[in-house]
Amino acid sequence: MNSPVPLVPSLEQVRAQFPALSRPTAFLDNAGGSHLPRCVIDAMARYMTEHYVQLGGDYTESLAAGANVAGAHDLVKLLLNAHGAGEVVLGQSTTALCHLLASCYAQAPRPDRNEIVVCTAGHEANIGTWMKLAERGWVVREWRAERDPAQNHTWRILPRSLRPLLSERTRLVTFPHVSNILGEIVDAAEVATLAHSVGARVVCDGVAYVPHRAPDVQRLGVDWYVYSTYKVYGPHGAALFGTREAFAELEGPNHSFIPRERVPYKFELGGVNHESCAAINGLWEYLCFLGGEASLPTRTPSTLSRDRAIIERAFGLMERRELVTQSMLIDWLCSRRDIEIVGPRVSGPSRVPTFSFVVPGRSSRDLATRANRQGLAIRYGHFYSKRLVESIGLEADDGVVRVSMVHYTSPGEIERLIAWLERSPD
Ligand SMILES: Cc1ncc(COP(=O)(O)O)c(C=O)c1O
């Protein structure tokens, strides 16, 4: 029997899932945080109404609460293709999870491997906390973004520049999968291969990647991968994947009587946010809708490959939709001699639809706040990638103008923005 052909929802059907999109604002600040589909909001409210109890009891509601927390870990594993490779820790934010990881490494020093390479072109969440290891005697080496003469002198994070920074003493390499300013996808598999060739581990910040593509941590070969759930159509919170081998080297900070082997719980101080777990579980319904499922399939250990295929179809649709709007904007930006794009001047699969630019002689702040008054939700600044913005030679507080889209962004919203930029008064 043939399997049913997936139903591909239209852009209108997709947008109708997001209550916030019925507002007149053209929301182009998605790299800051995405909107929520109705099913995610409902799942959280339902959980708080029906099962808002502690874990560990054998009564109905407590068993359901336990299944809710386990289900959220499981969905994140599916999203990252992590099943069988390692575990997922849920936490308050990517910043908090990077701090947690750095403090665990600080407690597990290895005198023969006391060097760390930190890519300083990413978000500060995956930089500052690692830099602090220098206070404990670690040697920190900076891997910086640079202009690539082969690509129009675009600012890029190049794996080839990592190579000379590595040695047999390198313990870790930390880097972004995508910079939240530049928008270009870094070849994380190449970074992992380079780091592993000297026996180092990698910590990849996937925050700016996961809203657009479902990473496959096994194919990438990364040891640690972290992202923020509130940028992926979900609740405030974050998730950290680690391989079994990477976790085994560290002792989690949870209570001393909790055995070291109890991962992820040993790394989830006091437990996780249950209502956020409910919202993460609610995302499954939305991904099934995007993936063209006519009904809501139940996830079980025996349906892993079918479930991952649904995720890949859902993110495949996101990517196709994003290509339309990102091309519209980049074509217009490239046609303007008075605008300097920060990041690759290309559309296509090598980037995500996060665009930063400056208009020489004009303040980014002024431009963004004027646009905001017209219902165009864009932003300006350094977006906590302060070191990158400064190294580009910009004044950090004014920074860049950033326009960031996701799959629900409509061509009409981009037309509105372009029309306003065309006539925006000096
Ligand atoms: C690329 C990137 N990494 C890390 C973070 C920090 O995430 P969180 O707010 O969850 O700490 C952000 C937030 O904007 C980000 O864009």
Side-chain angles (χ1 to χ4, degrees):
M1 204 174 75
N2 290 337
S3 5
V5 179
L7 312 158
V8 181
S10 67
L11 178 61
E12 290 66 35
Q13 287 169 324
V14 167
R15 288 178 66 87
Q17 307 301 310
F18 292 82
L21 292 179
S22 61
R23 299 172 61 80
T25 302
F27 186 64
L28 300 169
D29 186 22
N30 292 281
S34 59
H35 283 321
L36 299 174
R38 167 64 68 197
C39 56
V40 167
I41 302 167
D42 287 350
M44 187 188 268
R46 207 166 40 243
Y47 176 79
M48 294 175 91
T49 313
E50 294 170 8
H51 303 122
Y52 199 66
V53 298
Q54 275 311 99
L55 315 182
D58 270 333
Y59 53 97
T60 309
E61 293 80 3
S62 186
L63 291 172
N68 172 57
V69 168
H73 287 84
D74 192 68
L75 184 67
V76 172
K77 279 191 184 173
L78 194 62
L79 188 66
L80 304 180
N81 200 27
H83 278 105
E87 290 300 333
V88 160
V89 169
L90 297 178
Q92 180 196 336
S93 64
T94 290
T95 307
L97 287 174
C98 289
H99 271 264
L100 173 97
L101 200 54
S103 75
C104 292
Y105 272 101
Q107 320 245 326
R110 277 186 47 190
D112 59 323
R113 276 196 186 269
N114 68 344
E115 294 191 10
I116 174 164
V117 179
V118 179
C119 177
T120 50
H123 187 286
E124 190 65 15
N126 198 29
I127 302 176
T129 188
W130 300 111
M131 293 283 196
K132 281 208 177 126
L133 291 179
E135 292 163 16
R136 292 173 171 257
W138 291 55
V139 176
V140 179
R141 303 201 184 279
E142 287 189 38
W143 170 22
R144 300 198 176 95
E146 61 205 280
R147 283 185 179 275
D148 186 358
Q151 290 244 346
N152 223 352
H153 294 275
T154 301
W155 286 93
R156 303 184 73 198
I157 300 168
L158 296 168
R160 65 170 183 247
S161 307
L162 166 65
R163 199 184 298 264
L165 303 170
L166 296 170
S167 79
E168 299 294 318
R169 299 186 63 79
T170 313
R171 179 97 185 261
L172 284 169
V173 175
T174 75
F175 71 105
H177 202 171
V178 174
S179 138
N180 63 345
I181 300 278
L182 304 175
E184 185 175 31
I185 297 170
V186 176
D187 188 340
E190 190 181 346
V191 174
T193 305
L194 283 170
H196 292 164
S197 71
V198 295
R201 297 207 180 278
V202 297
V203 183
C204 183
D205 169 358
V207 175
Y209 181 91
V210 188
H212 313 283
R213 315 276 165 85
D216 180 336
V217 289
Q218 300 192 64
R219 193 183 55 75
L220 296 175
V222 289
D223 306 280
W224 300 102
Y225 194 93
V226 62
Y227 79 94
S228 306
T229 49
Y230 68 96
K231 311 215 190 217
V232 191
Y233 324 107
H236 278 95
L240 170 71
F241 159 80
T243 60
R244 270 191 229 99
E245 298 74 21
F247 272 116
E249 288 172 358
L250 304 177
E251 165 119 32
N254 217 345
H255 308 300
S256 57
F257 51 80
I258 296 167
R260 183 185 171 119
E261 298 72 39
R262 270 197 71 191
V263 177
Y265 189 44
K266 187 73 177 167
F267 288 78
E268 291 174 337
L269 276 165
V272 297
N273 182 313
H274 297 190
E275 51 272 36
S276 284
C277 286
I280 291 172
N281 282 318
L283 190 60
W284 174 239
E285 187 176 335
Y286 180 61
L287 294 174
C288 287
F289 161 77
L290 283 187
E293 293 294 304
S295 59
L296 185 61
T298 307
R299 289 180 281 128
T300 70
S302 62
T303 56
L304 269 186
S305 56
R306 178 206 64 186
D307 298 346
R308 175 67 190 177
I310 293 173
I311 301 261
E312 285 176 4
R313 276 207 306 280
F315 278 84
L317 178 65
M318 291 186 199
E319 184 179 347
R320 290 198 300 283
R321 288 277 155 74
E322 289 176 357
L323 281 175
V324 176
T325 44
Q326 65 155 291
S327 300
M328 286 173 71
L329 185 62
I330 196 77
D331 287 352
W332 183 82
L333 289 171
C334 287
S335 74
R336 295 289 300 227
R337 287 173 168 270
D338 54 341
I339 290 180
E340 278 180 17
I341 302 167
V342 179
R345 299 168 65 84
V346 293
S347 176
S350 62
R351 62 142 52 247
V352 302
T354 298
F355 295 96
S356 302
F357 61 87
V358 289
V359 183
R362 289 193 63 182
S363 133
S364 299
R365 174 170 191 249
D366 179 60
L367 199 69
T369 44
R370 282 176 192 231
N372 293 168
R373 283 190 224 118
Q374 303 302 313
L376 297 162
I378 60 176
R379 281 205 298 145
Y380 74 95
H382 57 70
F383 301 97
Y384 288 18
S385 289
K386 191 161 183 275
R387 298 174 203 249
L388 170 68
V389 168
E390 282 171 348
S391 70
I392 287 172
L394 297 170
E395 196 270 300
D397 286 340
D398 198 53
V400 297
V401 178
R402 189 177 74 178
V403 180
S404 55
M405 317 161 204
V406 287
H407 65 286
Y408 55 60
T409 304
S410 70
E413 287 173 315
I414 300 307
E415 279 163 9
R416 245 177 92 188
L417 175 71
I418 291 175
W420 182 81
L421 287 168
E422 294 256 1
R423 60 169 200 277
S424 96
D426 283 337

Coordinates of all heavy atoms in Angstrom, one line a residue, residues 257-327:
F257 N 24.0 13.4 46.5 CA 23.5 12.0 46.6 C 22.9 11.5 45.3 O 22.5 10.3 45.2 CB 22.5 11.9 47.7 CG 21.4 12.9 47.7 CD1 20.3 12.8 46.8 CD2 21.5 14.0 48.5 CE1 19.3 13.7 46.8 CE2 20.5 15.0 48.5 CZ 19.4 14.8 47.6
I258 N 22.8 12.4 44.3 CA 22.3 11.9 42.9 C 23.5 11.4 42.2 O 24.5 12.1 42.0 CB 21.6 13.1 42.2 CG1 20.4 13.6 42.9 CG2 21.3 12.7 40.7 CD1 19.9 14.9 42.4
P259 N 23.4 10.1 41.8 CA 24.6 9.5 41.2 C 25.0 10.3 39.9 O 24.2 10.8 39.2 CB 24.2 8.1 40.8 CG 22.9 7.9 41.5 CD 22.3 9.2 41.8
R260 N 26.3 10.3 39.7 CA 26.9 11.0 38.6 C 26.4 10.5 37.2 O 26.2 11.2 36.3 CB 28.4 10.6 38.7 CG 29.3 11.3 37.6 CD 30.7 10.7 37.8 NE 31.5 11.2 36.6 CZ 32.5 12.0 36.7 NH1 33.0 12.3 37.9 NH2 33.2 12.4 35.7
E261 N 26.0 9.2 37.2 CA 25.5 8.6 35.9 C 24.1 9.0 35.6 O 23.6 8.8 34.5 CB 25.5 7.1 36.1 CG 26.8 6.4 36.3 CD 27.4 6.6 37.7 OE1 26.6 6.6 38.7 OE2 28.6 6.9 37.8
R262 N 23.4 9.7 36.6 CA 22.0 10.1 36.2 C 22.0 11.3 35.4 O 21.6 12.4 35.8 CB 21.2 10.2 37.5 CG 20.6 8.9 37.9 CD 19.4 9.1 38.9 NE 18.2 9.7 38.4 CZ 17.2 10.1 39.1 NH1 17.3 10.0 40.4 NH2 16.2 10.7 38.5
V263 N 22.3 11.1 34.1 CA 22.3 12.2 33.2 C 21.0 12.1 32.4 O 20.6 11.0 32.0 CB 23.5 12.1 32.2 CG1 23.5 13.2 31.1 CG2 24.8 12.2 33.0
P264 N 20.2 13.1 32.2 CA 20.5 14.5 32.4 C 20.3 15.1 33.8 O 20.7 16.2 34.1 CB 19.5 15.2 31.4 CG 18.4 14.3 31.4 CD 18.9 12.9 31.5
Y265 N 19.6 14.4 34.7 CA 19.1 15.0 36.0 C 20.3 15.5 36.8 O 20.1 16.6 37.4 CB 18.4 13.9 36.8 CG 17.7 14.4 38.0 CD1 16.9 15.6 37.9 CD2 17.7 13.8 39.2 CE1 16.3 16.1 39.1 CE2 17.1 14.3 40.3 CZ 16.4 15.4 40.2 OH 15.8 16.0 41.4
K266 N 21.4 14.9 36.7 CA 22.6 15.4 37.5 C 23.0 16.8 37.0 O 23.6 17.6 37.8 CB 23.7 14.4 37.3 CG 25.0 14.7 38.1 CD 24.7 14.3 39.6 CE 26.0 14.6 40.4 NZ 25.8 14.6 41.8
F267 N 22.6 17.2 35.8 CA 22.9 18.5 35.3 C 21.7 19.5 35.3 O 21.8 20.6 34.8 CB 23.4 18.4 33.8 CG 24.8 17.7 33.7 CD1 24.9 16.4 33.8 CD2 25.9 18.5 33.5 CE1 26.2 15.8 33.8 CE2 27.2 17.9 33.5 CZ 27.3 16.6 33.6
E268 N 20.6 19.0 35.8 CA 19.4 19.9 35.8 C 19.1 20.3 37.3 O 18.4 19.6 38.0 CB 18.2 19.2 35.2 CG 18.4 19.0 33.7 CD 17.3 18.1 33.0 OE1 16.7 17.3 33.7 OE2 17.2 18.2 31.8
L269 N 19.8 21.4 37.7 CA 19.7 21.8 39.1 C 18.3 21.9 39.6 O 17.5 22.8 39.1 CB 20.5 23.1 39.2 CG 22.0 23.0 39.4 CD1 22.6 24.3 39.2 CD2 22.3 22.4 40.7
G270 N 17.9 21.1 40.5 CA 16.6 21.2 41.1 C 15.4 20.8 40.2 O 14.3 20.8 40.5
G271 N 15.8 20.3 39.0 CA 14.7 19.9 38.0 C 14.5 20.9 36.9 O 15.2 21.9 36.8
V272 N 13.5 20.7 36.1 CA 13.3 21.6 34.9 C 11.9 22.3 35.0 O 11.1 22.0 35.9 CB 13.4 20.8 33.6 CG1 14.8 20.2 33.4 CG2 12.3 19.7 33.6
N273 N 11.7 23.2 34.1 CA 10.4 23.9 34.1 C 9.4 23.0 33.4 O 9.4 22.8 32.2 CB 10.7 25.2 33.3 CG 9.5 26.1 33.2 OD1 8.4 25.6 33.0 ND2 9.6 27.3 33.5
H274 N 8.4 22.6 34.2 CA 7.4 21.6 33.7 C 6.5 22.2 32.6 O 6.2 21.6 31.6 CB 6.6 21.1 34.8 CG 7.4 20.3 35.8 ND1 6.8 19.6 36.9 CD2 8.7 20.2 36.0 CE1 7.7 19.0 37.6 NE2 8.9 19.4 37.1
E275 N 6.1 23.5 32.8 CA 5.2 24.1 31.8 C 5.9 24.3 30.5 O 5.3 24.2 29.4 CB 4.5 25.3 32.4 CG 5.4 26.4 32.9 CD 5.7 26.2 34.4 OE1 5.8 25.0 34.9 OE2 5.8 27.2 35.2
S276 N 7.2 24.6 30.6 CA 8.0 24.7 29.3 C 8.1 23.4 28.6 O 8.0 23.3 27.4 CB 9.4 25.2 29.6 OG 9.4 26.6 29.9
C277 N 8.2 22.3 29.4 CA 8.2 21.0 28.8 C 6.9 20.7 28.1 O 6.9 20.1 27.0 CB 8.4 19.9 29.9 SG 10.1 19.8 30.5
A278 N 5.8 21.1 28.7 CA 4.5 20.9 28.0 C 4.5 21.6 26.7 O 4.0 21.1 25.7 CB 3.4 21.4 28.9
A279 N 5.0 22.9 26.7 CA 5.0 23.6 25.5 C 6.0 23.0 24.4 O 5.6 22.9 23.2 CB 5.5 25.1 25.7
I280 N 7.1 22.5 24.9 CA 8.0 21.8 23.9 C 7.3 20.6 23.3 O 7.3 20.3 22.1 CB 9.3 21.3 24.6 CG1 10.1 22.6 25.0 CG2 10.1 20.4 23.7 CD1 11.4 22.3 25.8
N281 N 6.5 19.9 24.1 CA 5.8 18.7 23.6 C 4.7 19.2 22.6 O 4.4 18.5 21.6 CB 5.1 18.0 24.8 CG 6.1 17.1 25.5 OD1 6.9 16.4 24.8 ND2 6.0 17.0 26.8
G282 N 4.1 20.4 22.9 CA 3.1 20.9 22.0 C 3.6 21.2 20.6 O 2.9 21.2 19.6
L283 N 4.9 21.4 20.5 CA 5.6 21.7 19.2 C 5.5 20.5 18.2 O 5.4 20.7 17.0 CB 7.0 22.1 19.4 CG 7.8 22.6 18.2 CD1 7.2 23.9 17.8 CD2 9.3 22.9 18.6
W284 N 5.4 19.3 18.8 CA 5.2 18.1 17.9 C 4.0 18.3 17.0 O 4.1 18.0 15.8 CB 5.1 16.9 18.8 CG 4.9 15.6 18.1 CD1 3.8 14.8 18.3 CD2 5.7 15.0 17.1 NE1 3.9 13.7 17.4 CE2 5.0 13.8 16.7 CE3 6.9 15.4 16.4 CZ2 5.6 12.9 15.7 CZ3 7.4 14.5 15.4 CH2 6.7 13.3 15.1
E285 N 2.9 18.8 17.5 CA 1.7 18.9 16.7 C 2.0 19.9 15.6 O 1.6 19.6 14.4 CB 0.6 19.4 17.6 CG -0.7 19.5 16.9 CD -1.9 19.9 17.8 OE1 -1.8 19.7 19.0 OE2 -2.9 20.4 17.3
Y286 N 2.7 21.0 15.9 CA 2.9 22.0 14.8 C 3.9 21.4 13.7 O 3.7 21.5 12.5 CB 3.5 23.2 15.4 CG 3.8 24.3 14.3 CD1 2.8 24.8 13.6 CD2 5.1 24.7 14.1 CE1 3.1 25.7 12.5 CE2 5.4 25.6 13.1 CZ 4.4 26.1 12.3 OH 4.6 27.0 11.3
L287 N 4.9 20.6 14.2 CA 5.8 20.1 13.2 C 5.1 19.0 12.3 O 5.4 18.9 11.2 CB 7.0 19.5 13.9 CG 7.9 20.5 14.7 CD1 9.0 19.9 15.5 CD2 8.6 21.5 13.6
C288 N 4.2 18.3 12.9 CA 3.4 17.3 12.1 C 2.6 18.0 11.1 O 2.5 17.5 10.0 CB 2.5 16.4 13.1 SG 3.5 15.3 14.0
F289 N 2.0 19.1 11.5 CA 1.2 19.9 10.6 C 2.1 20.4 9.4 O 1.7 20.2 8.2 CB 0.6 21.1 11.3 CG 0.1 22.2 10.5 CD1 -1.1 22.2 9.8 CD2 0.9 23.4 10.4 CE1 -1.5 23.2 9.0 CE2 0.5 24.5 9.6 CZ -0.7 24.4 8.9
L290 N 3.3 20.9 9.7 CA 4.2 21.4 8.7 C 4.7 20.2 7.8 O 4.9 20.3 6.6 CB 5.4 22.1 9.3 CG 5.3 23.5 9.8 CD1 6.7 24.0 10.2 CD2 4.6 24.4 8.8
G291 N 4.9 19.1 8.5 CA 5.4 17.9 7.8 C 4.3 17.2 7.0 O 4.6 16.1 6.4
G292 N 3.1 17.7 7.0 CA 2.0 17.2 6.1 C 1.3 16.0 6.7 O 0.6 15.3 5.9
E293 N 1.3 15.8 8.0 CA 0.6 14.7 8.6 C -0.9 15.1 8.7 O -1.2 16.1 9.2 CB 1.2 14.4 10.0 CG 2.6 13.8 10.0 CD 2.7 12.4 9.3 OE1 2.0 11.5 9.7 OE2 3.5 12.3 8.3
A294 N -1.7 14.2 8.3 CA -3.2 14.4 8.4 C -3.7 14.3 9.8 O -4.6 15.0 10.2 CB -3.9 13.5 7.4
S295 N -3.0 13.4 10.6 CA -3.4 13.3 12.0 C -2.2 13.4 12.9 O -1.1 13.6 12.3 CB -4.1 11.9 12.2 OG -3.1 11.0 11.8
L296 N -2.4 13.3 14.2 CA -1.2 13.5 15.1 C -0.7 12.2 15.5 O -1.2 11.5 16.4 CB -1.7 14.3 16.3 CG -0.6 14.7 17.3 CD1 0.4 15.6 16.6 CD2 -1.2 15.4 18.5
P297 N 0.4 11.7 14.9 CA 1.0 10.4 15.3 C 1.6 10.4 16.7 O 2.2 11.4 17.1 CB 2.0 10.1 14.2 CG 2.3 11.4 13.5 CD 1.3 12.4 13.9
T298 N 1.5 9.3 17.4 CA 2.1 9.2 18.7 C 3.5 8.8 18.6 O 3.9 7.9 17.8 CB 1.4 8.1 19.6 OG1 0.0 8.4 19.5 CG2 1.9 8.0 21.0
R299 N 4.4 9.5 19.3 CA 5.9 9.2 19.2 C 6.2 8.0 20.2 O 5.7 8.1 21.3 CB 6.7 10.4 19.7 CG 6.7 11.5 18.7 CD 7.6 12.7 19.2 NE 6.9 13.5 20.2 CZ 7.4 13.8 21.4 NH1 8.6 13.3 21.7 NH2 6.7 14.5 22.2
T300 N 6.8 7.0 19.7 CA 7.2 5.9 20.5 C 8.7 5.5 20.1 O 9.1 5.9 19.1 CB 6.3 4.6 20.3 OG1 6.6 4.1 19.0 CG2 4.9 4.9 20.4
P301 N 9.4 4.7 21.0 CA 10.7 4.4 20.6 C 10.8 3.6 19.3 O 11.8 3.7 18.6 CB 11.2 3.5 21.8 CG 10.3 3.9 22.9 CD 9.0 4.4 22.3
S302 N 9.7 2.9 18.9 CA 9.7 2.1 17.7 C 9.4 3.0 16.4 O 9.5 2.4 15.3 CB 8.8 0.9 17.8 OG 7.5 1.4 18.0
T303 N 9.0 4.2 16.6 CA 8.6 5.0 15.4 C 9.7 6.1 15.2 O 9.4 7.1 14.5 CB 7.2 5.7 15.6 OG1 7.3 6.5 16.8 CG2 6.1 4.7 15.7
L304 N 10.9 5.9 15.7 CA 11.9 7.0 15.6 C 12.2 7.4 14.2 O 12.2 8.6 13.9 CB 13.2 6.5 16.2 CG 13.4 6.7 17.7 CD1 14.8 6.3 18.1 CD2 13.2 8.2 18.0
S305 N 12.3 6.5 13.3 CA 12.7 6.9 11.9 C 11.6 7.6 11.3 O 11.8 8.6 10.6 CB 13.3 5.8 11.1 OG 12.4 4.7 11.0
R306 N 10.3 7.2 11.5 CA 9.2 7.9 10.9 C 9.1 9.3 11.5 O 8.9 10.3 10.8 CB 7.9 7.1 11.2 CG 6.6 7.9 10.7 CD 5.4 7.5 11.5 NE 5.5 8.0 12.9 CZ 4.6 7.7 13.8 NH1 3.5 7.0 13.5 NH2 4.7 8.2 15.1
D307 N 9.3 9.4 12.8 CA 9.2 10.7 13.5 C 10.3 11.7 13.1 O 10.0 12.9 12.8 CB 9.3 10.5 15.0 CG 8.1 9.6 15.5 OD1 7.2 9.4 14.7 OD2 8.2 9.1 16.6
R308 N 11.5 11.2 12.9 CA 12.6 12.0 12.4 C 12.3 12.5 11.0 O 12.5 13.6 10.6 CB 13.9 11.3 12.5 CG 15.1 12.0 11.9 CD 15.5 13.3 12.7 NE 16.5 14.0 12.0 CZ 17.0 15.2 12.4 NH1 16.7 15.8 13.5 NH2 17.9 15.8 11.6
A309 N 11.7 11.6 10.2 CA 11.3 12.0 8.8 C 10.3 13.1 8.8 O 10.4 14.0 8.0 CB 10.8 10.8 8.0
I310 N 9.4 13.1 9.8 CA 8.4 14.2 9.9 C 9.1 15.5 10.2 O 8.9 16.5 9.6 CB 7.3 13.9 11.0 CG1 6.5 12.7 10.5 CG2 6.5 15.1 11.3 CD1 5.5 12.1 11.6
I311 N 10.1 15.4 11.1 CA 10.8 16.6 11.5 C 11.6 17.2 10.3 O 11.6 18.4 10.0 CB 11.8 16.3 12.6 CG1 11.2 15.8 13.8 CG2 12.8 17.5 12.9 CD1 10.9 16.7 14.9
E312 N 12.2 16.3 9.5 CA 13.0 16.7 8.4 C 12.1 17.3 7.3 O 12.4 18.3 6.7 CB 13.8 15.6 7.8 CG 15.0 15.3 8.7 CD 15.9 14.1 8.3 OE1 15.6 13.5 7.3 OE2 16.8 13.8 9.1
R313 N 10.9 16.7 7.1 CA 9.9 17.3 6.1 C 9.5 18.7 6.6 O 9.4 19.7 5.8 CB 8.7 16.5 6.0 CG 8.9 15.3 5.0 CD 7.6 14.9 4.4 NE 6.5 14.6 5.4 CZ 6.4 13.4 6.0 NH1 7.3 12.5 5.8 NH2 5.5 13.2 6.9
A314 N 9.2 18.8 7.9 CA 8.8 20.1 8.4 C 9.8 21.2 8.2 O 9.5 22.3 7.7 CB 8.4 20.0 9.9
F315 N 11.1 20.9 8.6 CA 12.1 21.9 8.4 C 12.5 22.1 6.9 O 12.9 23.2 6.6 CB 13.3 21.5 9.3 CG 13.2 21.9 10.7 CD1 12.5 21.1 11.6 CD2 13.7 23.1 11.1 CE1 12.3 21.5 12.9 CE2 13.5 23.6 12.5 CZ 12.8 22.7 13.4
G316 N 12.3 21.1 6.1 CA 12.5 21.2 4.7 C 11.5 22.3 4.1 O 11.9 23.2 3.3
L317 N 10.3 22.2 4.6 CA 9.3 23.2 4.1 C 9.7 24.6 4.6 O 9.6 25.6 3.9 CB 7.9 22.9 4.7 CG 6.8 23.9 4.3 CD1 6.6 23.9 2.8 CD2 5.5 23.5 5.0
M318 N 10.2 24.7 5.9 CA 10.6 26.0 6.4 C 11.7 26.6 5.5 O 11.7 27.8 5.2 CB 11.2 25.8 7.8 CG 10.2 25.5 8.9 SD 11.1 25.5 10.5 CE 9.9 24.6 11.5
E319 N 12.7 25.8 5.2 CA 13.8 26.2 4.4 C 13.3 26.7 3.0 O 13.7 27.8 2.6 CB 14.8 25.1 4.2 CG 16.0 25.6 3.4 CD 17.1 24.5 3.3 OE1 17.0 23.4 3.9 OE2 18.0 24.7 2.5
R320 N 12.4 26.0 2.4 CA 11.9 26.4 1.1 C 11.2 27.7 1.1 O 11.3 28.6 0.3 CB 11.0 25.3 0.5 CG 11.7 24.1 0.1 CD 10.9 23.2 -0.9 NE 9.6 22.8 -0.4 CZ 9.4 21.8 0.5 NH1 10.5 21.1 0.9 NH2 8.2 21.4 0.9
R321 N 10.4 27.9 2.2 CA 9.6 29.2 2.4 C 10.6 30.3 2.6 O 10.4 31.4 2.1 CB 8.6 29.0 3.5 CG 7.5 28.2 3.3 CD 6.4 28.9 2.5 NE 5.5 28.0 1.7 CZ 4.6 27.3 2.2 NH1 4.4 27.3 3.5 NH2 3.9 26.5 1.5
E322 N 11.6 30.1 3.4 CA 12.5 31.1 3.8 C 13.3 31.6 2.6 O 13.7 32.8 2.5 CB 13.5 30.6 4.9 CG 12.8 30.5 6.2 CD 13.8 29.9 7.3 OE1 14.9 29.6 6.9 OE2 13.4 29.8 8.4
L323 N 13.6 30.7 1.6 CA 14.4 31.0 0.5 C 13.7 32.1 -0.3 O 14.4 33.0 -0.9 CB 14.7 29.8 -0.4 CG 15.8 28.9 0.1 CD1 15.9 27.6 -0.8 CD2 17.1 29.6 0.1
V324 N 12.4 32.1 -0.4 CA 11.7 33.1 -1.1 C 11.9 34.5 -0.5 O 12.3 35.4 -1.2 CB 10.1 32.8 -1.1 CG1 9.3 33.8 -1.9 CG2 9.9 31.4 -1.7
T325 N 11.6 34.6 0.8 CA 11.7 36.0 1.4 C 13.2 36.4 1.5 O 13.5 37.6 1.4 CB 11.0 36.0 2.8 OG1 11.4 34.8 3.5 CG2 9.5 36.0 2.6
Q326 N 14.1 35.5 1.8 CA 15.5 35.9 1.9 C 16.0 36.4 0.6 O 16.8 37.4 0.6 CB 16.4 34.9 2.6 CG 16.6 33.6 1.9 CD 18.0 33.0 2.3 OE1 19.0 33.5 2.0 NE2 17.9 31.9 3.0
S327 N 15.6 35.8 -0.5 CA 16.1 36.3 -1.8 C 15.5 37.7 -2.1 O 16.3 38.5 -2.6 CB 15.6 35.4 -3.0 OG 16.1 34.1 -2.7

